[in-house]
């Protein structure tokens, strides 16, 4: 079955960096676009970043542009999100999600990132 | 950026009743509209895509309608497991945007 498992979350000081990973299985990784979506505590969903199936196209939310970088390794079936210059407002559960021609049919369980001194 | 609004923010419904949730886009998104259900501590679950197509395994009591800028999600004969937060999302134009959610709770 399709699985997406995020890791790498934790507590990090403002201004520091953190790398999240999403390990996948159960589907042909290299043909699907992938996204990161986050959810601040008690808040709604916010799309963060997109990467095309081949890694050649990336899009970012304005709130993270220039600070976050999405990448993928189609040989290892993994998706990453490198986050730098972290701010308090980046505190959230981060989900990786598989795009099925737009909407997200499959999600990971999420990993919590807390930005605090 | 396309702004998505949802109403009401909270909907109190009795089990067995019908709930109708609304979603509005600030500009036309065609039928590129999805609905998700989220329960506490869980990832969102896709219910509806293309405004009205139920995802695999989603019960028939969930139905979506609308196009352009006005959409609705109807949950018929509410079951106990349907009390949750519901989000709409447009995927017609970057950035993909979500509505703020409607919480369906027990009356």
């Amino acid at each position: 079955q399709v699985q997406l498992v995020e890791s790498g979350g934790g507590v990090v000081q403002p201004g520091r960096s953190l790398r999240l990973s999403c390990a996948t299985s159960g589907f042909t990784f290299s043909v699907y676009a992938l996204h990161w979506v986050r959810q601040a505590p008690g808040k709604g969903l916010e799309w963060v970043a997109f990467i095309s199936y081949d890694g050649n196209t990336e899009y970012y939310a304005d709130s993270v542009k220039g600070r976050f970088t999405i990448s993928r390794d189609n040989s290892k079936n993994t998706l990453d999100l490198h986050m730098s210059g972290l701010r308090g407002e980046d505190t959230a559960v981060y989900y990786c999600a598989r795009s099925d021609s737009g909407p997200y049919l499959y999600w990971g369980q999420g990993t919590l990132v807390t930005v605090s001194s | 950026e396309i702004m998505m609004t949802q109403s009401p923010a909270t909907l109190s419904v009795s089990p067995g009743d019908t709930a109708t949730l609304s979603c509005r886009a600030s500009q036309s998104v065609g039928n590129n509209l999805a609905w998700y259900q989220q329960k506490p501590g869980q990832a969102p679950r896709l219910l509806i895509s293309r405004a009205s197509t139920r995802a695999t395994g989603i019960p028939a009591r969930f139905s979506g309608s609308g196009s352009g800028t006005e959409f609705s999600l109807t949950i018929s004969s509410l079951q106990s497991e349907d009390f949750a937060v519901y989000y709409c999302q447009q995927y017609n134009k970057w950035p993909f945007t979500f509505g703020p959610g409607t919480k369906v709770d027990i009356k």
Side-chain angles (χ1 to χ4, degrees):
Chain A
Q1 73 278 24
V2 174
Q3 286 194 311
L4 300 93
V5 179
E6 303 91 341
S7 61
V11 180
V12 60
Q13 292 179 329
R16 304 298 291 265
S17 299
L18 198 65
R19 178 181 290 270
L20 305 183
S21 293
C22 175
T24 73
S25 60
F27 64 99
T28 305
F29 182 81
S30 60
V31 305
Y32 286 95
L34 296 163
H35 298 244
W36 287 97
V37 176
R38 69 184 179 182
Q39 186 170 36
K43 303 297 184 182
L45 301 167
E46 180 189 15
W47 170 78
V48 172
F50 157 90
I51 189 165
S52 60
Y53 69 98
D54 57 2
N56 287 339
T57 302
E58 302 168 17
Y59 296 125
Y60 297 93
D62 285 346
S63 57
V64 307
K65 201 173 295 182
R67 300 187 298 122
F68 289 14
T69 302
I70 190 172
S71 62
R72 64 189 295 158
D73 187 332
N74 283 355
S75 68
K76 296 181 179 178
N77 297 345
T78 57
L79 172 72
D80 284 349
L81 184 69
H82 183 252
M83 307 182 292
S84 63
L86 283 162
R87 307 167 180 168
E89 55 264 36
D90 296 320
T91 294
V93 174
Y94 285 74
Y95 297 100
C96 58
R98 192 186 90 176
S99 177
D100 289 68
S101 301
Y104 312 137
L105 180 56
Y106 295 102
W107 299 66
Q109 86 289 350
T111 187
L112 175 62
V113 173
T114 303
V115 183
S116 174
S117 54
Chain B
E1 175 174 319
I2 298 176
M3 302 298 295
M4 306 298 292
T5 56
Q6 290 185 244
S7 60
T10 302
L11 188 60
S12 296
V13 187
S14 299
D17 286 353
T18 295
T20 301
L21 289 63
S22 295
C23 173
R24 176 176 291 178
S26 60
Q27 61 182 265
S28 177
V29 299
N31 66 346
N32 294 315
L33 190 285
W35 289 94
Y36 300 87
Q37 176 194 68
Q38 189 179 33
K39 297 178 181 179
Q42 296 185 16
R45 173 194 184 197
L46 179 66
L47 299 175
I48 301 282
S49 63
R50 300 192 67 79
S52 61
T53 303
R54 276 190 305 275
T56 302
I58 301 303
R61 65 180 182 272
F62 291 92
S63 63
S65 64
S67 66
T69 62
E70 301 281 343
F71 301 88
S72 62
L73 173 70
T74 300
I75 313 170
S76 303
S77 189
L78 265 150
Q79 307 292 301
S80 58
E81 61 266 29
D82 300 336
F83 293 97
V85 179
Y86 293 83
Y87 295 95
C88 61
Q89 178 206 26
Q90 68 82 19
Y91 52 94
N92 189 63
K93 191 174 181 180
W94 295 104
F96 292 177
T97 43
F98 291 91
T102 291
K103 182 178 182 181
V104 177
D105 66 15
I106 300 175
K107 189 173 185 179

